Amino acid sequence: MYRSDVRDAHDVERGAIVSVVDEAKNFVGQAFYSDQSEIALRFLSTSREIIDRDWWRDLLRQSVERRSAIAKETNAYRLVYSEGDLLPSLIIDVYDGHYVLQSLSQGTDRLQSEIVELMVEEFEPRSISERNDARVRQFEGLELRKGVLFGDAPHEIEITQNAVRLMVGPLSGQKTGAFLDQRENYLAAARVAYGRALDCFTCNGGFALNLAKSCESVIGIDISEEAVASAQRNAELNDARNVEFKTANVFDALREMETAGERFDTIVLDPPAFTKSRATIKSGARGYKEINLRALKLLPPGGVLITCTCSYHLSEEMFLGIIAEAAVDARRRLQIIEKRGQSSDHPVLLGVPETHYLKCVIARVLQ
Ligand SMILES: C[S@@+](CC[C@H](N)C(=O)[O-])C[C@H]1O[C@@H](n2cnc3c(N)ncnc32)[C@H](O)[C@@H]1O
């Protein structure tokens, strides 16, 4: 609930859990209160239940229970996904028994040490680290910090996703160490990928290494030398000899490849969010259109495009519109094979569209 909808919050402490009533004094629910963020209230419950240590323990257990099938497939996944698990502003990721947490509001920041205690009691973690260096904390008036809170956290952890081995740095990598949200899209992409493949914005090589199994060759591109170095090490770890990585700006690289007359059978586009606020949707849309247009020009008929946006301000409908415009400009007819979202350990809460941030469209060029 936005600040503009709050009538009266006097004597409420920052980060406190409050009872919310409407103007007629009808009970609405219980929520975290923030005295700084535009999101003044984040709802925890619509009932008058007691929200104490046992309540938190129970919700953590429920999240674990819901991930039991995923935990059999991989040792790295999101255990708690904020609003998606009715635990707003709390993220907990697990990497082979090492836990990484983010407290993204005054409410979860205030309760963090209690949550860490509960994690120790419930999960028997090898370590717990905080990645509270996410910039959204600044909207809450919270400091940015990261570090180890419990146990010994190694600099790097080996994880396995879809039988691909990846090295992850929980305190050094992006987000909480890796992009866990594409795990199921890697598999979907690998199902249709073939021939000569290009993985744009490869980061630590997630798509590239999954595609390597079904493609003759894969080139991964990222602007960050550090990301390319880690992708190269991951290729060695998997003995993937048909994959090479290059440090380059994707915008330039796609243009140069077009000029050089290069062709690919499969192209992945997984850029960073080009629009992080409503105000920049137009300029962000231009960025998405540009890379999709350039990629489509490199794909002959039969070619496969796996194109993503992780911006929650861009709806699936808007994203499909951008891809359609790019296809018209590239003079390609596109068939949508699949419309996907983030992996199922990042569940979307109906009624909270922001929880559906990742869109992944898999399409085939017909003409
Ligand atoms: C969303 S992440 C990609 C995640 C990756 N595909 C995965 O599955 O783990 C975006 C990546 O794009 C890279 N990047 C940002 N701008 C770029 C650009 N102009 N050219 C190439 N890479 C870029 C970042 O370094 C980052 O690794």
Side-chain angles (χ1 to χ4, degrees), residues 174 179 182 186 201-204 206-207 221-224 227 248-251 270-272 310:
Q174 301 192 41
F179 291 93
Q182 292 282 24
Y186 296 153
F201 310 95
T202 189
C203 196
N204 64 3
F207 272 107
I221 299 179
D222 203 284
I223 204 164
S224 148
N249 184 330
V250 165
F251 286 86
D270 184 19
C310 58

Side-chain angles (χ1 to χ4, degrees), residues 35-283:
D35 67 1
Q36 296 248 330
S37 169
E38 279 310 306
I39 305 170
L41 293 166
R42 293 169 193 265
F43 279 84
L44 292 161
S45 172
T46 48
S47 85
R48 293 180 196 271
E49 65 191 323
I50 295 167
I51 299 185
D52 57 5
R53 197 178 174 91
D54 284 340
W55 184 92
W56 285 95
R57 188 190 300 280
D58 190 38
L59 262 82
L60 289 178
R61 282 184 184 172
Q62 287 177 29
S63 273
V64 171
E65 180 59 32
R66 286 193 287 265
R67 305 300 194 280
S68 58
I70 293 169
K72 287 187 192 125
E73 288 169 8
T74 176
N75 63 359
Y77 53 93
R78 179 150 290 187
L79 189 70
V80 173
Y81 175 48
S82 196
E83 279 82 357
D85 282 300
L86 296 179
L87 287 168
S89 64
L90 178 65
I91 302 278
I92 303 178
D93 290 340
V94 55
Y95 297 94
D96 193 23
H98 296 277
Y99 290 71
V100 186
L101 132 163
Q102 292 184 308
S103 304
L104 301 177
S105 75
Q106 292 176 0
T108 42
D109 191 66
R110 184 171 154 143
L111 284 177
Q112 183 170 294
S113 45
E114 192 169 350
I115 292 168
V116 170
E117 280 170 26
L118 282 168
M119 287 169 69
V120 172
E121 286 169 28
E122 291 294 312
F123 308 152
E124 296 178 13
R126 295 165 80 179
S127 72
I128 302 175
S129 302
E130 65 175 333
R131 276 303 293 267
N132 282 329
D133 52 345
R135 289 214 199 111
V136 285
R137 276 176 57 101
Q138 288 172 331
F139 297 128
E140 299 275 338
L142 297 170
E143 58 171 352
L144 303 189
R145 52 171 204 258
K146 60 179 177 177
V148 181
L149 303 172
F150 171 83
D152 284 327
H155 178 60
E156 279 194 310
I157 299 167
E158 184 181 319
I159 61 163
T160 310
Q161 291 190 321
N162 315 330
V164 170
R165 297 161 68 191
L166 298 166
M167 295 305 290
V168 171
L171 289 174
S172 54
Q174 301 192 41
K175 286 186 155 188
T176 65
F179 291 93
L180 298 172
D181 48 9
Q182 292 282 24
R183 191 187 68 256
E184 292 167 11
N185 294 333
Y186 296 153
L187 279 184
R191 276 199 294 272
V192 289
Y194 72 101
R196 185 171 188 235
L198 177 66
D199 176 16
C200 298
F201 310 95
T202 189
C203 196
N204 64 3
F207 272 107
L209 294 170
N210 277 268
L211 297 194
K213 296 176 190 171
S214 46
C215 295
E216 277 156 37
S217 64
V218 188
I219 299 175
I221 299 179
D222 203 284
I223 204 164
S224 148
E225 278 178 21
E226 213 180 311
V228 166
S230 85
Q232 260 152 359
R233 283 179 47 222
N234 286 332
E236 283 158 29
L237 195 64
N238 290 278
D239 201 19
R241 296 181 194 178
N242 56 345
V243 186
E244 61 171 306
F245 293 101
K246 293 180 182 167
T247 308
N249 184 330
V250 165
F251 286 86
D252 300 337
L254 290 176
R255 227 174 287 130
E256 284 160 17
M257 287 190 238
E258 189 189 334
T259 310
E262 296 222 36
R263 286 286 179 274
F264 292 90
D265 302 299
T266 303
I267 299 183
V268 176
L269 298 173
D270 184 19
F274 288 154
T275 162
K276 290 195 169 159
S277 72
R278 266 180 234 290
T280 56
I281 284 187
K282 262 198 178 163
S283 59

Side-chain angles (χ1 to χ4, degrees), residues 271-340:
F274 288 154
T275 162
K276 290 195 169 159
S277 72
R278 266 180 234 290
T280 56
I281 284 187
K282 262 198 178 163
S283 59
R286 276 198 293 278
Y288 289 114
K289 182 172 169 191
E290 166 85 6
I291 54 170
N292 279 279
L293 168 61
R294 301 273 161 214
L296 283 169
K297 287 193 169 177
L298 301 179
L299 286 168
V304 172
L305 177 69
I306 297 115
T307 179
C308 311
T309 168
C310 58
S311 171
Y312 62 72
H313 293 288
L314 206 67
S315 67
E316 185 180 90
E317 200 186 340
M318 288 158 85
F319 188 44
L320 285 169
I322 292 168
I323 300 166
E325 277 182 28
V328 169
D329 288 6
R331 297 174 183 274
R332 296 281 194 274
R333 302 299 313 270
L334 269 192
Q335 174 188 64
I336 304 291
I337 307 171
E338 270 191 85
K339 289 183 277 185
R340 304 179 57 89

